[in-house]
Amino acid sequence: MSSHEVFEPAFEVIQKIEEAGGEAYIVGGAVRDYLSGRPVNDIDIATSEKPERIQEIFEKVIPVGIEHGTVIVRHRSVSYEVTTYRVEEGYEDYRHPDEVTFVQDITLDLARRDFTINAIAMSRDGRLIDPYHGHDAIRNKRIEAVGEPSERFHEDPLRMMRAVRFASQLSFKIEERTEEALNHLSPLLQHISIERIAVEMEKIFGGSNYALGLQLLQSTGLKNHLPILKDLDIHRNVPYSLILGWHEIIAFYVLQYPHLTAENFMKSWKLSKDTKKKTEQLLHAYRKYENEKNVTAWLIYQLEEELFPSFSRLVSALHRVDKISGEVLTEAKKQLPIHNKRELTFQARDLLQLFTDLPKGPWISEWMDKIEYHVVTEEIENDYEKIKEWVREWNPPARN
Ligand code: ATP
Ligand code: MG
């Protein structure tokens, strides 16, 4: 087994809690990913101590969810979610437990967790507390509920999406009884808010075994409760994982199914403004590419570099060509004469100086757009005098 190096700073946090008389363990996804040889991202810590006590022990503590027992401890510039051992009761509304009760025993805390692979705690010396044999489940690549699967899915139906999500990310098989419960209980998903479902859905699409994830959505019936996707043949034509998120997913389907609109997707999945902006940009670039059968300088100029990988994946998926790699686009972007309006040597004030008799109006931005376009496409050099010359040759803008 590889070393615990990635956990060292987290162990220091644990040590501080122990020195103050408490108990603490690394729990959840970090332990799971570590034991399965995957890169460890966020490290969560469970502790016997109440949030108020954690606030006393550490200097930098951000109270993010005190009523649920969670605070963020900053240590060596890294954030750790530190949560008091707790059990949850109620779940009357299928959403949140009615009551959170703090407890003193880590094994009780592990019992409330969704799957055995996520219910392992690791102590500061690397010892595992693994009452549900989650380590075996990881070795056998198996996703199984902690306790009675149907009970656990009744408590929180989102767990069904999470099971599929872990299958997609880890390429694990869902254990038989857990899968059976999933098949029976998938309609319960309708009680879950679309925002929570969207988080898991994005991770399913981004998993290295997305094919398995999408197939499970179908076979379990969960798909029937997913807006828009429920009417599509979702796993046909997905030739790669849609890694970068919703904008890529939406563009992918909208381009293949002409009756779909990005707008509808955004609305029914309640996605963010940021996703909307990225989706529109990506679709705009793609359609331009389709029309011109070419990646023009103007397209590269308009498309944010962050979206290059999505763009190149879309092109290879829908055109079955591989020639437009993200790197090629990045290189082409570097070669552009300018990268934004501010880099133009000729600005709006220069334009106004040239036409002092004209009142301010929309013509200014129209002309600036024109200058920008012609500089980007290298029809005119980005040189003050040259642009000035060139603008002079135009007909004076209409007066209004
Ligand atoms: P990721 O690497 O994607 O963050 P994760 O396993 O850490 O995966 P989180 O959503 O961050 O997932 O949750 C952290 C831990 O909290 C899980 O490993 C699990 O033990 C527990 N958990 C999260 N959501 C639920 C849930 N709906 N029901 C029961 N336990 C949950
Ligand atoms: Mg996590």
Side-chain angles (χ1 to χ4, degrees):
M1 198 193 288
S2 48
S3 81
H4 297 145
E5 220 166 278
V6 296
F7 290 149
E8 285 309 327
F11 287 157
E12 289 168 12
V13 173
I14 293 175
Q15 185 172 6
K16 271 193 119 175
I17 298 173
E18 288 177 353
E19 282 166 3
E23 242 180 55
Y25 297 91
I26 297 177
V27 288
V31 179
R32 176 198 68 224
D33 289 340
Y34 170 75
L35 293 175
S36 51
R38 299 164 52 85
V40 168
N41 299 315
D42 303 337
I43 298 177
D44 295 335
I45 293 172
T47 180
S48 56
E49 302 308 289
K50 302 268 167 64
E52 295 73 23
R53 186 82 189 94
I54 300 299
Q55 284 175 307
E56 287 165 13
I57 298 172
F58 294 93
E59 265 168 41
K60 283 191 214 152
V61 180
I62 309 161
V64 285
I66 298 235
E67 63 285 8
H68 304 112
T70 303
V71 296
I72 285 176
V73 169
R74 295 278 299 167
H75 176 67
R76 294 182 190 254
S77 313
V78 178
S79 294
Y80 298 90
E81 234 179 59
V82 178
T83 305
T84 311
Y85 300 159
R86 60 176 205 219
V87 291
E88 296 160 355
E89 285 154 294
Y91 293 104
E92 294 284 297
D93 61 355
Y94 286 114
R95 240 172 263 141
H96 298 290
D98 297 330
E99 225 173 281
V100 168
T101 310
F102 296 141
V103 293
Q104 281 298 308
D105 183 351
I106 178 73
T107 57
L108 293 177
D109 180 87
L110 295 174
R112 69 158 170 102
R113 295 174 183 270
D114 48 6
F115 303 105
T116 61
I117 57 172
N118 290 340
I120 310 170
M122 185 190 273
S123 71
R124 187 160 69 80
D125 49 17
R127 188 170 43 91
L128 299 183
I129 300 193
D130 184 14
Y132 303 101
H133 310 288
H135 198 183
D136 282 342
I138 289 171
R139 288 197 192 94
N140 297 320
K141 299 182 184 290
R142 218 171 51 221
I143 299 160
E144 58 195 356
V146 171
E148 180 54 50
S150 53
E151 222 170 89
R152 304 312 308 282
F153 292 153
H154 265 113
E155 280 174 4
D156 181 1
L158 185 74
R159 290 172 186 156
M160 298 188 289
M161 286 298 285
R162 288 174 57 87
V164 174
R165 185 259 273 206
F166 291 120
S168 172
Q169 289 181 322
L170 305 166
S171 227
F172 284 14
K173 189 178 161 350
I174 300 180
E175 175 270 336
E176 211 171 303
R177 281 175 59 251
T178 300
E179 186 164 4
E180 214 169 280
L182 246 166
N183 293 336
H184 280 108
L185 300 177
S186 57
L188 292 179
L189 195 64
Q190 63 195 300
H191 299 290
I192 298 300
S193 79
I194 194 66
E195 290 93 334
R196 289 181 82 204
I197 297 174
V199 171
E200 298 302 327
M201 195 63 224
E202 192 172 35
K203 292 181 180 178
I204 292 171
F205 274 114
S208 56
N209 202 345
Y210 62 89
L212 171 63
L214 299 182
Q215 181 246 308
L216 279 167
L217 288 178
Q218 180 99 37
S219 65
T220 56
L222 284 169
K223 191 188 142 189
N224 300 330
H225 305 280
L226 305 175
I228 299 182
L229 297 175
K230 68 176 191 284
D231 302 316
L232 308 181
D233 183 359
I234 45 172
H235 55 271
R236 197 197 60 193
N237 278 344
V238 183
Y240 55 80
S241 54
L242 299 161
I243 302 162
L244 287 179
W246 273 108
H247 59 277
E248 207 175 302
I249 298 164
I250 296 172
F252 180 78
Y253 287 112
V254 166
L255 290 167
Q256 284 188 88
Y257 291 88
H259 70 280
L260 297 179
T261 67
E263 278 280 283
N264 270 342
F265 247 112
M266 305 293 168
K267 276 209 187 112
S268 29
W269 282 86
K270 296 199 183 154
L271 299 168
S272 69
K273 287 223 168 70
D274 181 56
T275 297
K276 184 170 149 69
K277 214 181 88 201
K278 285 183 186 162
T279 309
E280 282 164 1
Q281 232 198 84
L282 193 55
L283 280 170
H284 177 76
Y286 190 85
R287 288 180 172 137
K288 242 184 147 48
Y289 167 76
E290 287 261 270
N291 283 340
E292 320 211 347
K293 307 264 175 276
N294 199 0
V295 181
T296 61
W298 186 242
L299 185 159
I300 293 170
Y301 176 75
Q302 285 191 306
L303 187 61
E304 268 170 59
E305 206 165 338
E306 186 196 356
L307 297 174
F308 285 178
S310 296
F311 179 79
S312 83
R313 277 199 293 273
L314 273 185
V315 172
S316 19
L318 303 177
H319 275 257
R320 316 253 173 244
V321 289
D322 239 346
K323 58 182 181 233
I324 309 169
S325 72
E327 293 86 65
V328 168
L329 293 170
T330 302
E331 194 44 45
K333 187 138 188 150
K334 276 195 201 131
Q335 305 294 330
L336 291 176
I338 60 167
H339 302 90
N340 57 58
K341 275 190 163 83
R342 292 185 304 282
E343 286 176 23
L344 283 174
T345 56
F346 191 91
Q347 293 289 337
R349 58 177 181 276
D350 304 312
L351 194 58
L352 280 164
Q353 264 173 27
L354 221 51
F355 300 97
T356 43
D357 55 329
L358 281 181
K360 287 187 183 169
W363 66 273
I364 303 170
S365 64
E366 277 162 29
W367 280 43
M368 286 312 299
D369 288 351
K370 206 164 156 179
I371 294 169
E372 184 187 13
Y373 180 81
H374 284 85
V375 167
V376 170
T377 55
E378 296 188 53
E379 282 156 83
I380 178 86
E381 213 177 300
N382 187 24
D383 173 274
Y384 175 82
E385 288 301 331
K386 287 193 175 143
I387 296 176
K388 189 172 163 187
E389 249 344 270
W390 187 66
V391 169
R392 274 219 182 96
E393 284 167 22
W394 295 351
N395 294 322
R399 287 156 201 272
N400 47 9

